[in-house]
């Protein structure tokens, strides 16, 4: 495994994307940064965490498009791999909130941002970015966020966790995807319980998460007992 360690960078995802455009970068190369100055989150949000206290990595996977019928399935593989590693850290109520927020004790402790570099119809390389709050204590300015430290009272070695996650992701590409998907559905946050959602018109409704569609949309049973599917931009879960 090729590891590039950086002290400070705007975003490990951007760094790895640019690097792979300029030169050949080996499969499963990972970039680790102690500090991200302009970390990126999902849907154009920012990922801001304290320097040196958290895990911020990006991993390059060549030709990820050929591994799955649908590229969304890479989110499933990575979420399950991260879950499996964190499962041995004694975190309360560890779960994956669709599509790939890492939750513990009803708070977000990590997130995943996968950016696909489409070279041609058949060739897609992916930059898999993972942020996990490890030893940070203060989350005053971030709503409903926490860290492994806050939930377990234990400091952890960030580099050790990084390697474990990278190894688990690499291993997961050799596993049966059907089993990974079953696991994902098993660990899905708030599955089968009534939750309030907000749709894109800001209207609130109650529904029950029953699963996901083949292309990664969230399946929700509404009060009329019918199933509806939603993409990430169309819905917010209130919890
Ligand atoms: C989310 O919004 O939940 C996704 C957060 C992803 C953050 C990670 S940190 C490492 C990588 N580099 C980035 O700029 N973002 C991802």
């Amino acid at each position: 495994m090729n590891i590039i360690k950086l002290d400070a960078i705007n975003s490990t995802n951007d760094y790895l994307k640019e690097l792979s455009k300029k030169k050949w970068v080996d499969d499963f190369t990972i970039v680790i940064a102690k500090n991200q100055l302009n970390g990126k989150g999902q849907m154009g949000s920012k990922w801001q965490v304290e320097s040196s206290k958290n895990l911020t990595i990006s991993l390059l996977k060549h030709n990820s498009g050929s591994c799955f019928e649908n590229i969304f399935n890479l989110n499933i593989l990575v979420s399950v791999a991260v879950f499996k590693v964190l499962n041995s850290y004694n975190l309360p109520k560890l779960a994956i909130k669709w599509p790939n927020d890492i939750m513990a004790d009803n708070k977000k402790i990590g997130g995943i941002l996968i950016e696909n570099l489409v070279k041609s119809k058949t060739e897609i390389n992916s930059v898999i970015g993972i942020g996990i709050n490890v030893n940070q204590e203060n989350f005053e300015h971030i709503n409903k966020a926490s860290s492994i430290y806050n939930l377990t009272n234990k400091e952890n070695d960030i580099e050790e966790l990084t390697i474990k996650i990278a190894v688990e992701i690499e291993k997961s590409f050799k596993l049966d995807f059907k089993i990974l998907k079953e696991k994902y559905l098993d660990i899905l946050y708030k599955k089968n319980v009534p939750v309030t959602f907000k749709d894109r018109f800001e209207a609130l409704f109650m529904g029950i998460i029953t699963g996901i569609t083949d292309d990664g949309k969230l399946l929700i049973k509404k009060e009329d007992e019918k199933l509806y599917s939603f993409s990430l931009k169309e819905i917010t879960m209130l919890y």
Side-chain angles (χ1 to χ4, degrees), residues 206-232:
M206 286 291 288
I208 295 177
I209 296 174
T210 60
I212 55 166
T213 61
D214 285 344
D215 59 353
K217 288 184 176 162
L218 189 65
L219 271 175
I220 296 175
K221 188 159 85 181
K222 285 196 185 179
E223 279 169 317
D224 61 7
E225 295 288 312
K226 285 187 191 147
L227 277 181
Y228 297 82
S229 64
F230 296 90
S231 66
L232 190 55

Side-chain angles (χ1 to χ4, degrees), residues 97-220:
K97 180 167 161 286
W98 176 85
N100 45 23
D101 285 349
I102 302 147
M103 307 291 291
D105 206 21
N106 294 313
K107 297 188 183 77
K108 182 163 169 170
I109 61 157
I112 297 166
L113 176 68
I114 299 179
E115 297 185 83
N116 296 311
L117 309 165
V118 183
K119 297 204 155 180
S120 71
K121 251 190 182 167
T122 48
E123 203 194 346
I124 302 176
N125 294 343
S126 296
V127 170
I128 301 166
I130 304 169
I132 297 176
N133 304 333
V134 183
N135 296 323
Q136 183 169 328
E137 282 180 65
N138 189 339
F139 290 92
E140 257 171 33
H141 305 293
I142 314 172
N143 196 20
K144 293 201 167 136
S146 193
S147 65
I148 302 179
Y149 177 80
N150 280 0
L151 294 173
T152 61
N153 260 326
K154 214 177 146 266
E155 278 207 16
N156 281 284
D157 185 323
I158 296 169
E159 201 163 318
E160 189 185 304
L161 177 60
T162 302
I163 303 299
K164 282 188 194 166
I165 288 177
V167 167
E168 190 62 45
I169 291 175
E170 190 168 0
K171 220 172 78 186
S172 298
F173 279 94
K174 297 181 191 102
L175 300 179
D176 180 355
F177 182 72
K178 246 178 73 186
I179 294 172
L180 287 177
K181 185 160 180 188
E182 275 166 24
K183 179 77 183 166
Y184 179 84
L185 294 174
D186 231 37
I187 60 179
L188 202 54
Y189 183 67
K190 302 272 187 199
K191 185 167 164 245
N192 292 334
V193 293
V195 202
T196 308
F197 295 93
K198 190 165 74 182
D199 69 17
R200 62 180 195 276
F201 307 108
E202 305 273 301
L204 300 183
F205 69 90
M206 286 291 288
I208 295 177
I209 296 174
T210 60
I212 55 166
T213 61
D214 285 344
D215 59 353
K217 288 184 176 162
L218 189 65
L219 271 175
I220 296 175

Side-chain angles (χ1 to χ4, degrees), residues 9-15 31 33 36 38-49 55-59 100-102 108 110-115 127-132:
I9 192 77
N10 275 341
S11 152
T12 52
N13 267 28
D14 285 349
Y15 177 86
V31 175
Q36 274 194 138
N38 196 14
K40 302 189 303 181
Q42 280 171 19
M43 296 205 296
S45 66
K46 284 193 186 304
W47 187 258
Q48 284 168 323
V49 287
L55 176 149
T56 45
I57 60 164
S58 296
L59 182 151
N100 45 23
D101 285 349
I102 302 147
K108 182 163 169 170
I112 297 166
L113 176 68
I114 299 179
E115 297 185 83
V127 170
I128 301 166
I130 304 169
I132 297 176

